[in-house]
Amino acid sequence: MTGYESLRKLSQESSLNNLAENKTTVLDKPTNAFLASLYPFMKKQIDNKRHLSVMTILFLFFAWWFVTFIGWANPLFLPSPSAVTQSFVDVAVDGYQGSTLLEHVGTSLYRILTAFFFACLVGIPLGILMGISHSFHQVFNPIIEFYRPLPPLGLYTLLVMWLGIGESSKLALLFLSGLPGIIIATIQAVSDINPNYVRAARSVGAKRWDLIREVYLPGAGPTILTGMRISLGFIYTVLVAAEIVAATAGIGWMIWDAAKFLLSDVVIMGLIVLGVTGMLLDLTLKLFGKIVMPWTAVRKM
Amino acid sequence: MRSEYKVSEPKGSINITDLGMVFKSRDVTNVALQTTNLSISPGEFVCILGPSGCGKSTLLNVIAGFLKASEGQALLDGELIQEPGPERSMVFQHHSLLPWKTVGENIEMGPRLTGDLEVEQTVSYFLDMVGLSAYRDHYPEQLSGGMQQRVGIARALATNPRVLLMDEPFGALDYQTRLVMQENLLSLWDEFKSTVVFITHDVDEAIFLSDRILVMSSAPGCIIRDIKNPLKRPRDQLISSDPIFIKLKRECLELIRAQSMTKLNIKADHQRPEIKP
Ligand SMILES: Nc1ncnc2c1ncn2[C@@H]1O[C@H](COP(=O)(O)OP(=O)(O)OP(=O)(O)O)[C@@H](O)[C@H]1O
Ligand SMILES: [Mg+2]
């Protein structure tokens, strides 16, 4: 056999055949450490229903284009895709009200990610303690249950009075809207852990703090991740509200400001940018989950 | 590797005095275990046999330290048992390997937490002992039921326990795998020689494995018979045709039958079939 042939044979045996089959293919975990770290993503490629999502997106775009093309929609309210693309280019190059698109997006992402980071930093440990200890749960639950249903704008007025109209009240609002989702998911995740896991760990010598590291945190991990994704969604929904007051940049502010001047192409462009960054962040979280929790990507034998 | 592994001196005596267990909820009191006295010598392999719900798991969980007895006490080598500890590690019936840890990591947890100085060697040693060295980096879900139980046993042994507690560890396995696992366990036990308390429903399993069989009454349970098992070791499954095996089996079956009869209010003496050895 020539070198080329054996190489081809090897690559076919190792992955291509498996990929070509269908979703239920089980790949043997690669022994190479680098390949192993990619292992969770390799299975992604086997998803053969991906094209349906692509078709949905194409269809929506087509419908939008069609409706504006034949003049069913008033361009003042629903501009054509090309107008929106044009405003994307304009704002990206010349900026909107003194900031370029990248600056608007950057400002908003900074707010979102800072708030999200602190929501995780506080929410996950608090949720774990509340899930483990009944007294802890009783102490903190009333606070969370009370403020959770409050409308963000109502909360915001108070935060502005306390913290002023600057950056801190915005971050506080985003933080507070992200927090309950994480805490509640974490509590649920911890109390759903099979008590046998805890017993097994204690039976080989795990003490209280060992249990958090060895059992509660990893055991609750997948549900915590879901909570984080939901919480990031909440933060997004509150972004525009947070940027209405005394902001000069931010994608939410840009949308709000453009709406005042009936610049619907900028509004729609802003919404699309917001949606796309949200989807990308969500994807990043999912990938992150697969990397730090490799066992969730393993199929049963 | 800890030096103790190489020495197979017996260790782990259990003394249980006036132990009783009552579960109380708001308006129901449930006697799970009647007053029980029991002592197990170091290195003994004891099987507990009894009908479902008679309190076998309760007794074992008290020894493990997962449950606090309502009355009486349990001692390990003269010390009061108050909480779970690695010197009394447990093998569960199922679903107890941590799914987020690989086989190797599951076994490694105990030695690491108990300050074993040579964790790496300990893990390899026990993986090898249960014949799963090739599966070190697999997750538990990727193994068959029998393999998972072997990992469970390796994990429990890796802390070098004085007592190994086993709650129907082979109960969820098919018959063939079960027989193989029983032989496996005995050959492992030959090496580690700790005290074993093994719960089972299966009379054959109890006789095949044990030095001593404790038969429990139906709920609320207490130990009604303490049977010495004189069968010679090493044993293999062929021993089930040994006359002593058959005699023991008959004794156990009669006790169990009498138990279920009293439960159903039927006199056990009626129509007893002759079992020929
Ligand atoms: N946590 C608990 N709360 C209340 N009652 C309990 C609890 N655990 C066990 N019991 C009761 O104690 C009795 C003995 O239960 P146990 O689990 O020890 O039985 P078992 O002999 O192990 O049964 P099996 O062979 O089915 O596993 C049962 O009546 C059961 O309902
Ligand atoms: Mg039981």
Side-chain angles (χ1 to χ4, degrees):
Chain A
M1 208 186 321
T2 67
Y4 171 71
E5 267 172 353
S6 61
L7 196 71
R8 198 184 55 173
K9 188 156 178 291
L10 202 76
S11 69
Q12 275 176 352
E13 275 167 3
S14 63
S15 62
L16 292 180
N17 279 349
N18 289 330
L19 291 176
E21 277 180 21
N22 58 24
K23 257 192 108 166
T24 52
T25 315
V26 178
L27 299 178
D28 267 327
K29 190 169 179 181
T31 42
N32 176 299
F34 173 70
L35 282 181
S37 72
L38 291 178
Y39 182 61
F41 318 120
M42 286 159 65
K43 264 178 294 182
K44 214 51 234 192
Q45 301 173 15
I46 307 170
D47 192 340
N48 55 10
K49 294 282 184 278
R50 202 26 92 70
H51 64 280
L52 290 179
S53 309
V54 175
M55 277 167 65
T56 308
I57 295 169
L58 288 181
F59 173 77
L60 284 175
F61 255 100
F62 175 77
W64 176 21
W65 170 81
F66 185 74
V67 164
T68 51
F69 179 73
I70 62 169
W72 279 356
N74 181 345
L76 200 57
F77 298 117
L78 185 62
S80 66
S82 59
V84 172
T85 315
Q86 187 57 48
S87 84
F88 177 81
V89 174
D90 289 348
V91 178
V93 177
D94 305 331
Y96 180 86
Q97 302 279 29
S99 306
T100 63
L101 185 61
L102 207 61
E103 285 165 350
H104 284 302
V105 171
T107 309
S108 291
L109 280 186
Y110 161 77
R111 289 174 182 145
I112 288 169
L113 291 179
T114 310
F116 180 63
F117 174 76
F118 282 104
C120 294
L121 199 69
V122 174
I124 295 173
L126 194 61
I128 286 182
L129 290 178
M130 285 173 76
I132 296 172
S133 148
H134 189 60
S135 352
F136 231 93
H137 191 271
Q138 293 300 337
V139 170
F140 286 97
N141 202 38
I143 309 176
I144 294 162
E145 285 302 317
F146 174 73
Y147 96 77
R148 191 167 63 103
L150 293 181
L153 272 177
L155 206 59
Y156 196 24
T157 49
L158 188 65
L159 289 173
V160 167
M161 279 161 61
W162 284 350
L163 301 171
I165 53 172
E167 203 62 24
S168 46
S169 59
K170 294 178 180 43
L171 291 177
L173 177 66
L174 295 179
F175 166 76
L176 285 177
S177 26
L179 191 58
I182 292 183
I183 293 183
I184 290 166
T186 308
I187 295 173
Q188 189 61 43
V190 168
S191 41
D192 280 351
I193 288 175
N194 183 340
N196 260 0
Y197 297 153
V198 179
R199 288 186 163 193
R202 294 183 72 193
S203 143
V204 296
K207 299 279 176 266
R208 210 180 167 80
W209 295 107
D210 301 325
L211 283 178
I212 291 183
R213 192 183 61 242
E214 310 285 340
V215 180
Y216 290 117
L217 197 54
T223 311
I224 292 179
L225 184 74
T226 309
M228 284 165 69
R229 291 172 56 201
I230 292 172
S231 153
L232 189 64
F234 273 131
I235 294 180
Y236 257 83
T237 56
V238 177
L239 180 74
V240 179
E243 291 185 342
I244 287 174
V245 177
T248 52
I251 199 87
W253 174 80
M254 184 188 87
I255 293 170
W256 176 251
D257 194 72
K260 286 194 295 200
F261 304 108
L262 274 183
L263 297 172
S264 54
D265 52 340
V266 177
V267 172
I268 290 179
M269 184 271 288
L271 287 173
I272 292 177
V273 169
L274 206 54
V276 169
T277 57
M279 274 167 56
L280 289 179
L281 281 184
D282 191 60
L283 268 180
T284 314
L285 273 183
K286 282 208 284 198
L287 284 182
F288 168 76
K290 281 183 182 162
I291 293 169
V292 298
M293 301 182 284
W295 69 92
T296 56
V298 168
R299 270 157 222 271
K300 286 179 205 240
M301 196 159 91
Chain B
M1 175 76 22
R2 293 173 186 175
S3 56
E4 300 103 288
Y5 291 125
K6 284 152 203 152
V7 191
S8 43
E9 75 184 25
K11 57 210 162 197
S13 74
I14 296 173
N15 279 291
I16 286 173
T17 43
D18 300 327
L19 192 84
M21 191 71 199
V22 181
F23 288 106
K24 285 198 183 99
S25 58
R26 201 167 297 160
D27 38 32
V28 204
T29 46
N30 185 357
V31 182
L33 198 62
Q34 292 183 46
T35 310
T36 302
N37 285 286
L38 172 64
S39 77
I40 297 173
S41 333
E44 212 171 13
F45 199 128
V46 176
C47 281
I48 299 179
L49 197 60
S52 184
C54 72
K56 304 184 294 295
S57 297
T58 305
L59 179 59
L60 202 71
N61 285 332
V62 170
I63 300 176
F66 294 136
L67 286 177
K68 284 238 176 329
S70 337
E71 53 185 86
Q73 57 185 22
L75 304 177
L76 171 70
D77 293 333
E79 278 172 57
L80 188 63
I81 294 170
Q82 283 169 311
E83 54 173 7
E87 73 286 350
R88 282 163 284 128
S89 52
M90 177 104 124
V91 181
F92 300 79
Q93 182 170 358
H94 43 56
H95 302 310
S96 79
L97 294 179
L98 306 182
W100 46 88
K101 290 185 188 290
T102 60
V103 167
E105 289 165 352
N106 264 287
I107 299 175
E108 176 258 9
M109 178 169 58
R112 176 167 45 84
L113 294 177
T114 52
D116 189 337
L117 292 178
E118 283 163 322
V119 175
E120 184 51 37
Q121 281 99 315
T122 307
V123 174
S124 320
Y125 177 77
F126 283 100
L127 270 172
D128 191 45
M129 202 164 166
V130 295
L132 290 173
S133 299
Y135 294 87
R136 186 179 182 137
D137 294 326
H138 283 59
Y139 284 99
E141 282 197 339
Q142 299 172 298
L143 306 186
S144 71
M147 286 153 98
Q148 292 185 11
Q149 284 313 72
R150 266 145 66 197
V151 179
I153 294 171
R155 177 177 66 182
L157 290 178
T159 59
N160 190 29
R162 280 180 271 173
V163 181
L164 186 66
L165 304 170
M166 307 181 88
D167 194 348
E168 300 191 47
F170 308 146
L173 305 178
D174 64 88
Y175 181 71
Q176 292 302 330
T177 313
R178 225 179 145 118
L179 297 188
V180 175
M181 293 293 288
Q182 291 166 3
E183 290 194 359
N184 262 329
L185 177 61
L186 282 191
S187 57
L188 288 178
W189 183 64
D190 245 13
E191 286 188 53
F192 66 84
K193 281 289 183 219
S194 70
T195 310
V196 180
V197 185
F198 187 107
I199 287 178
T200 178
H201 276 117
D202 181 341
V203 177
D204 288 19
E205 184 169 75
I207 301 171
F208 178 68
L209 294 173
S210 68
D211 295 324
R212 189 176 156 200
I213 302 169
L214 304 173
V215 183
M216 288 181 73
S217 70
S218 49
C222 62
I223 294 165
I224 49 169
R225 190 74 65 87
D226 187 340
I227 304 170
K228 264 213 97 45
N229 180 347
L231 284 172
K232 286 200 179 59
R233 295 182 193 273
R235 304 170 183 169
D236 60 34
Q237 294 291 354
L238 296 178
I239 210 166
S240 60
S241 56
D242 190 303
I244 304 175
F245 189 101
I246 294 170
K247 191 174 140 286
L248 282 171
K249 183 167 177 177
R250 177 174 172 155
E251 187 175 356
C252 293
L253 287 175
E254 275 178 7
L255 279 167
I256 290 169
R257 182 165 172 270
Q259 279 304 309
S260 37
M261 291 295 181
T262 45
K263 211 174 177 185
L264 298 168
N265 266 330
I266 306 170
K267 266 223 175 97
D269 286 337
H270 284 300
Q271 31 160 290
R272 174 190 297 161
E274 268 304 307
I275 304 172
K276 293 216 172 71

